[in-house]
Amino acid sequence: MEERELKVLRNEEIGFRTYLMVLEGEGLPEPKPGQFLMLSVSNTLEPLLRRAFAVAHFERDKVFLIYYLLGRGTHILSERKRGEVLRALLFLGKGTFKVFKKNLLVGGGVGLSALTYLAQEVLRQKKELFILYGGRTKRHLGLLPFLRELGLECEVFTEDGSFGKKGNLLKPTLEFDRSWVVQACGPRAMLKAFKEKLRDRKLYLSLEAPMACGYGVCLGCVVRGEDGKYYRVCVEGPVFEASKVVIK
Ligand SMILES: Cc1cc2nc3c(=O)[nH]c(=O)nc-3n(C[C@H](O)[C@H](O)[C@H](O)COP(=O)(O)OP(=O)(O)OC[C@H]3O[C@@H](n4cnc5c(N)ncnc54)[C@H](O)[C@@H]3O)c2cc1C
Ligand code: FES
């Protein structure tokens, strides 16, 4: 882990409440798919705590993030201008995604941003890839322009049928045979349903949890394991084999 100063190259709204931010830092270490950074959203003490964002794409010296406008921190972040410098702890998390022979990546809402970097690694290694992307409605599919920018194809679902196929992501996931390893990120309720319904499948989940420090000290992010022990999402995660953790 290291703390770095990163220069804002891009910070633009690409979809409904969805922003793409590109940050530059000389000699940045190469992240692993699934890793994240803890970003100070301004250069003042307000808000005090850094915010966690997944690496959505990486190029030499540049890290790409996708964030959804949620509360105060992400609103402040959305006001950052090109050329400003922000501090970040990077790249965090020992529990990362892996590349398998057949990779089914399933992203609910902005959760897909934790999987786009993995998708590129799968293609680089010339393994099989299928991406399912879902949102409540058409406007909750804010990552579509980013997927186009990366040249990634996906099958799209909306719960109300306003774009793509109608329905949630569980049914299409179940239609893939067991040779496909499922790696997913999205709202807690989606991950809970995936764990319950895909018990007999290889399933990896990237978890989100409230994070104050991001490096294992505050214990604010712990989840209970099926073995009764507690695991820190920021250190042992954020990616866990679904069978190993309790999803509430
Ligand atoms: C490992 C990790 C990776 C993440 N990657 C991304 C990413 O790539 N893109 C992205 O948009 N977000 C991501 N998040 C979530 C992101 O950190 C939060 O959205 C952000 O911290 C919200 O900050 P805020 O100040 O805008 O909202 P706050 O003011 O802190 O919160 C506003 C409201 O949202 C709730 N809230 C805050 N965080 C979450 C959360 N994680 N899940 C559900 N509810 C929450 C709060 O309880 C509160 O009610 C990630 C989180 C983790 C732990
Ligand atoms: S966020 Fe502090 S221990 Fe994980």
Side-chain angles (χ1 to χ4, degrees), residues 3 38 71 240:
E3 184 167 30
M38 292 291 289
F240 292 92

Short mmCIF file of all heavy atoms in Angstrom, two decimals, residues 3 38 71 240:
data_model
loop_
_atom_site.label_atom_id
_atom_site.label_comp_id
_atom_site.label_asym_id
_atom_site.label_seq_id
_atom_site.Cartn_x
_atom_site.Cartn_y
_atom_site.Cartn_z
N GLU A 3 0.65 5.81 -0.37
CA GLU A 3 -0.18 6.99 -0.56
C GLU A 3 0.43 7.81 -1.69
O GLU A 3 1.63 8.05 -1.72
CB GLU A 3 -0.26 7.83 0.72
CG GLU A 3 -1.20 9.01 0.52
CD GLU A 3 -1.58 9.71 1.80
OE1 GLU A 3 -0.78 9.71 2.73
OE2 GLU A 3 -2.70 10.26 1.85
N MET A 38 -8.48 4.08 -1.97
CA MET A 38 -9.20 4.96 -1.03
C MET A 38 -8.80 6.38 -1.40
O MET A 38 -7.62 6.75 -1.28
CB MET A 38 -8.78 4.67 0.42
CG MET A 38 -9.21 3.31 0.95
SD MET A 38 -11.00 3.12 1.21
CE MET A 38 -11.32 4.17 2.62
N GLY A 71 -23.78 10.37 -1.85
CA GLY A 71 -23.91 11.31 -0.74
C GLY A 71 -22.91 12.44 -0.87
O GLY A 71 -22.45 12.77 -1.96
N PHE A 240 -14.46 -12.35 -2.31
CA PHE A 240 -14.50 -13.57 -1.50
C PHE A 240 -15.20 -14.67 -2.27
O PHE A 240 -16.12 -14.40 -3.06
CB PHE A 240 -15.31 -13.35 -0.21
CG PHE A 240 -14.68 -12.41 0.78
CD1 PHE A 240 -14.98 -11.06 0.75
CD2 PHE A 240 -13.79 -12.88 1.74
CE1 PHE A 240 -14.40 -10.17 1.65
CE2 PHE A 240 -13.21 -12.00 2.66
CZ PHE A 240 -13.52 -10.64 2.62
#
